[in-house]
Amino acid sequence: MREEAQLTQHAAKVLGDSGVIEPWPLQIERGDGQEPLKVQGLHRINEKALNELSAEAFASLRSHGALALAYGQLFSMNQLSQLTERAKFHAQQQSGKAADENLDAFFDGDDEELTFDFGE
């Protein structure tokens, strides 16, 4: 496992040295009335820069195992919509908890029993 981590670190260094990694100012929408979630400190592959590499630089990335890492990151960006949907769901769940607490306060009183008359 340690060997895989070292290989990944080396591949990331090779990608960085090639100039294809850039900061990724990610902003995730969370739903109505919620401020977007700003995620700091992420980086991504600049696909345009990757495609514009010389044949020699591209071959170097391939020989160091860095292409798999680069393409994996590019493919994973397609899952961003799933992350956005999960953030919206989480925000809805949090607002639902607040609504439950308000409902509890509304029914809070001396009477511990709640009965319904169904006209029988």
Side-chain angles (χ1 to χ4, degrees):
M1 179 115 150
R2 182 179 170 120
E3 184 178 327
E4 289 95 5
Q6 289 176 338
L7 290 172
T8 301
Q9 287 178 343
H10 181 68
K13 182 181 181 330
V14 171
L15 286 167
D17 291 346
S18 70
V20 299
I21 297 179
E22 66 182 7
W24 185 14
L26 181 61
Q27 187 167 295
I28 301 171
E29 298 300 323
R30 296 192 296 173
D32 297 333
Q34 298 277 331
E35 287 292 318
L37 178 64
K38 295 178 182 178
V39 183
Q40 304 294 322
L42 296 179
H43 290 79
R44 65 180 171 194
I45 299 297
N46 180 324
E47 188 174 7
K48 184 175 186 249
L50 182 65
N51 289 332
E52 291 176 352
L53 287 175
S54 69
E56 294 162 351
F58 193 82
S60 177
L61 292 181
R62 185 180 65 229
S63 69
H64 289 97
L67 284 181
L69 189 60
Y71 286 128
Q73 191 280 316
L74 289 169
F75 291 142
S76 72
M77 289 176 66
N78 290 329
Q79 297 299 317
L80 188 57
S81 63
Q82 290 293 321
L83 184 60
T84 301
E85 289 303 313
R86 288 183 178 146
K88 287 180 182 177
F89 178 77
H90 181 71
Q92 288 173 346
Q93 294 301 311
Q94 292 302 318
S95 67
K97 286 182 183 177
D100 288 345
E101 291 170 6
N102 290 340
L103 192 58
D104 288 342
F106 177 75
F107 285 109
D108 194 22
D110 293 338
D111 188 5
E112 292 294 322
E113 269 188 54
L114 183 62
T115 59
F116 295 92
D117 181 5
F118 293 105
E120 293 179 8

